[in-house]
Amino acid sequence: MRRLNNPEYQQRNLLLLLPLTGLAVLTWLLDSRVTPGLDMLTRQALLSFIRTLFPCLFAITVALIVPGRYLIARVSLVTGTYFLSLLLARYFLEDALDNPSICVLAAVTSMLVLPENDDEVLLNRSAQLTDRLMPLVLPFIVLLSLIIVIKQIEAFVLISFNEAFGKSLLSVIFAPLFLVLQALGSQEILNDVATLRYESDMVSPFVNAVSITSLFSLPTVILAKAFFSQGAPRLFLTMLAMVSVMSASVGTCSSLIYILLIIFWPGTFAILLFCSIITYLNSYALSALAFTTIPNLYTPDIDLSQALPFFYSQELHTLEAAAVFMPLIFVALSSLISRDTGTLRHSRHDLAPAGLRPELQNSPDLSTLAFLRALGGLSNLVSVRSEDGALFITIVSPEKLHVASLDALSLSYPEYDRIHRLLALAVGDHSDLIAKKLTALMENEFGEQEHEIVVPESFKIRPMPHVHHSPRLYQG
């Protein structure tokens, strides 16, 4: 999955939004108010079909945008793994068919262990048996691991969520726990337990923490992350925020968006969990009415017709406003802390490798030499370009790279795409100048002058026509 986070493929990542958009639109079309002519059995059958199909299309899209050869083999591997995982998961999880997000996770993990030429190892008889079987075995290992995690969380909920806990503010922990289970597609158990064991004055904070976080905080935190991002990730995050607004009430779409956040931006997902805790406490302090009922809380979708209007009361209005402003503040603070941490990391001389000094950051010439040394010399470079404060360097051999030196010189940990041997380094303001200097050294690696002294062509010395050789001069 790290290949998808490479800036080279961020434009392809926009394809991931198509299954989410299609699922949201079809779910809306199958609403009883939009298509009243459909009978209940047909409606439920169609909803079950699209809830199974579009997560599979999401996993297939991942296989399509990951670069590599043998596209049909990769798509077939992901599709087969998804449906086999679905058959296996339905025996352990009752609601696996309604929200098969763990099957999506299991299917796309096969992309993690494919070699440089994707399934070339699978077709190579000389490859080791483990290399050939790992893309087939790893998804089911991940699936069983996720099922065990879900079962352990369910056991924790059943044991700890007693009547005394349902009266205490310590039950705030079940609001972020609901979001984690929703990401895994198994929030039904918490819905049932909360209905039976939550006291009346604790039901409203729990419902508001889950629903308002999903409807308001989720799009806001993604949009805030886009504001503090650069380049192609900003476009992807902006579009993802728009899709999350459109599909916030659709449980399967929300689960897939949570999965994207967990994989690519886990810190952003942690901020979202923290926002749910604060929303719970705010709702309890304001004694706000429940936005909806627990049976309507992502089972698997939220029916907004059975929920209160967004501006029903002043307390609800305050909760929604806080749910919008909290992610903005937390993401801004997180970005500033990350930036300060990166600055401090570069200024610590004791952590810098030998030969690198803090003043390199203020000297492009010394920085270029330091990068050249860390990259393994000119012979290890193929091409260098700069984009949005980052260096994209195509190298010959990754074994010659000094990762510790590159990490000390860069603003973030270097990213390497082994398919195209492309190294991405976040450098900052000096990226354009360093790229020009490295390119100039590659074009003129021996240091020749631009205007060399022109040496005329050699010519032969011939005797003049009036000079005659006399044989007498050579006689003894």
Side-chain angles (χ1 to χ4, degrees):
M1 296 300 295
R2 190 170 184 174
R3 300 180 197 173
L4 298 180
N5 209 17
N6 192 301
E8 283 289 301
Y9 309 118
Q10 289 291 342
Q11 299 295 342
R12 301 183 187 182
N13 291 355
L14 294 174
L15 294 175
L16 290 173
L17 305 179
L18 294 179
L20 298 177
T21 306
L23 178 58
V25 171
L26 289 179
T27 303
W28 176 78
L29 289 176
L30 290 175
D31 189 271
S32 58
R33 293 165 296 177
V34 180
T35 53
L38 286 177
D39 60 277
M40 184 60 66
L41 292 178
T42 304
R43 191 186 312 278
Q44 291 299 327
L46 290 176
L47 283 173
S48 299
F49 176 73
I50 65 172
R51 287 169 185 162
T52 304
L53 176 63
F54 278 87
C56 180
L57 295 178
F58 183 87
I60 291 174
T61 306
V62 174
L64 290 175
I65 64 179
V66 171
R69 300 171 59 190
Y70 301 105
L71 180 62
I72 297 178
R74 285 189 285 119
V75 172
S76 301
L77 176 63
V78 170
T79 305
T81 303
Y82 173 81
F83 284 105
L84 289 176
S85 300
L86 192 62
L87 293 175
L88 182 62
R90 62 180 300 184
Y91 288 104
F92 298 96
L93 304 173
E94 296 179 358
D95 50 351
L97 294 178
D98 291 332
N99 194 352
S101 57
I102 61 170
C103 300
V104 175
L105 275 174
V108 299
T109 51
S110 61
M111 299 291 101
L112 296 174
V113 291
L114 287 177
E116 294 187 3
N117 293 327
D118 291 323
D119 57 338
E120 187 178 62
V121 172
L122 297 175
L123 304 177
N124 188 2
R125 294 182 178 179
S126 62
Q128 296 181 0
L129 181 61
T130 55
D131 294 333
R132 294 197 295 264
L133 293 179
M134 187 56 67
L136 302 175
V137 175
L138 181 62
F140 299 101
I141 296 176
V142 172
L143 178 67
L144 292 177
S145 301
L146 292 174
I147 291 175
I148 292 173
V149 170
I150 292 172
K151 290 298 183 180
Q152 292 299 317
I153 294 177
E154 291 180 355
F156 168 76
V157 171
L158 292 173
I159 294 173
S160 63
F161 206 162
N162 50 34
E163 294 181 358
F165 210 70
K167 299 177 182 179
S168 172
L169 279 177
L170 292 177
S171 60
V172 67
I173 190 176
F174 294 107
L177 194 60
F178 185 96
L179 298 181
V180 174
L181 288 175
Q182 185 181 353
L184 299 176
S186 299
Q187 70 276 4
E188 290 288 341
I189 182 65
L190 195 48
N191 276 346
D192 298 337
V193 174
T195 303
L196 297 175
R197 301 181 183 177
Y198 253 132
E199 291 295 322
S200 58
D201 56 343
M202 292 295 182
V203 171
S204 296
F206 172 74
V207 172
N208 291 336
V210 173
S211 58
I212 292 179
T213 299
S214 298
L215 294 173
F216 293 91
S217 296
L218 177 59
T220 306
V221 76
I222 297 174
L223 197 60
K225 184 64 177 178
F227 179 79
F228 289 98
S229 300
Q230 295 180 353
R234 174 177 293 181
L235 175 61
F236 175 75
L237 287 168
T238 303
M239 299 299 296
L240 182 63
M242 296 180 181
V243 173
S244 65
V245 171
M246 181 176 62
S247 62
S249 62
V250 182
T252 307
C253 288
S254 298
S255 298
L256 295 177
I257 293 174
Y258 288 150
I259 288 175
L260 287 176
L261 292 181
I262 292 173
I263 294 176
F264 295 120
W265 300 281
T268 305
F269 184 73
I271 291 175
L272 192 67
L273 298 181
F274 189 65
C275 289
S276 68
I277 294 176
I278 297 182
T279 303
Y280 183 100
L281 298 176
N282 287 340
S283 179
Y284 180 81
L286 295 171
S287 299
L289 295 176
F291 180 76
T292 185
T293 60
I294 291 181
N296 188 35
L297 200 60
Y298 288 106
T299 54
D301 304 329
I302 290 182
D303 188 356
L304 294 179
S305 64
Q306 301 179 14
L308 294 178
F310 289 152
F311 305 107
Y312 179 78
S313 63
Q314 182 62 36
E315 293 80 7
L316 195 60
H317 189 187
T318 303
L319 280 179
E320 294 164 354
V324 170
F325 285 106
M326 280 189 303
L328 298 176
I329 297 173
F330 293 148
V331 172
L333 291 176
S334 175
S335 300
L336 291 177
I337 292 173
S338 300
R339 187 177 303 173
D340 293 340
T341 303
T343 303
L344 290 175
R345 179 170 58 87
H346 288 292
S347 63
R348 285 184 291 186
H349 176 68
D350 55 335
L351 294 182
L356 298 179
R357 302 181 183 274
E359 57 266 21
L360 290 178
Q361 299 298 326
N362 300 322
S363 176
D365 292 331
L366 293 178
S367 298
T368 303
L369 294 177
F371 272 108
L372 188 60
R373 176 184 176 185
L375 291 169
L378 287 173
S379 60
N380 199 36
L381 306 183
V382 177
S383 64
V384 180
R385 64 182 178 86
S386 173
E387 180 181 343
D388 295 328
L391 290 175
F392 298 95
I393 306 171
T394 305
I395 63 174
V396 177
S397 175
E399 289 79 12
K400 295 182 179 180
L401 299 176
H402 299 278
V403 180
S405 300
L406 292 173
D407 185 27
L409 289 169
S410 305
L411 298 177
S412 60
Y413 194 79
E415 294 184 359
Y416 178 65
D417 173 25
R418 57 192 179 94
I419 297 294
H420 296 92
R421 298 184 182 274
L422 184 67
L423 183 68
L425 302 172
V427 178
D429 297 335
H430 296 306
S431 62
D432 292 335
L433 184 57
I434 294 175
K436 290 180 181 179
K437 291 181 177 293
L438 288 176
T439 303
L441 289 174
M442 292 170 59
E443 294 175 351
N444 188 12
E445 60 178 323
F446 297 106
E448 296 95 340
Q449 297 181 2
E450 294 183 0
H451 303 287
E452 297 288 341
I453 300 175
V454 179
V455 179
E457 296 182 359
S458 60
F459 58 93
K460 297 181 180 180
I461 301 177
R462 297 183 178 88
M464 299 181 67
H466 64 276
V467 177
H468 301 282
H469 294 281
S470 176
R472 295 178 181 178
L473 296 176
Y474 302 97
Q475 292 178 0

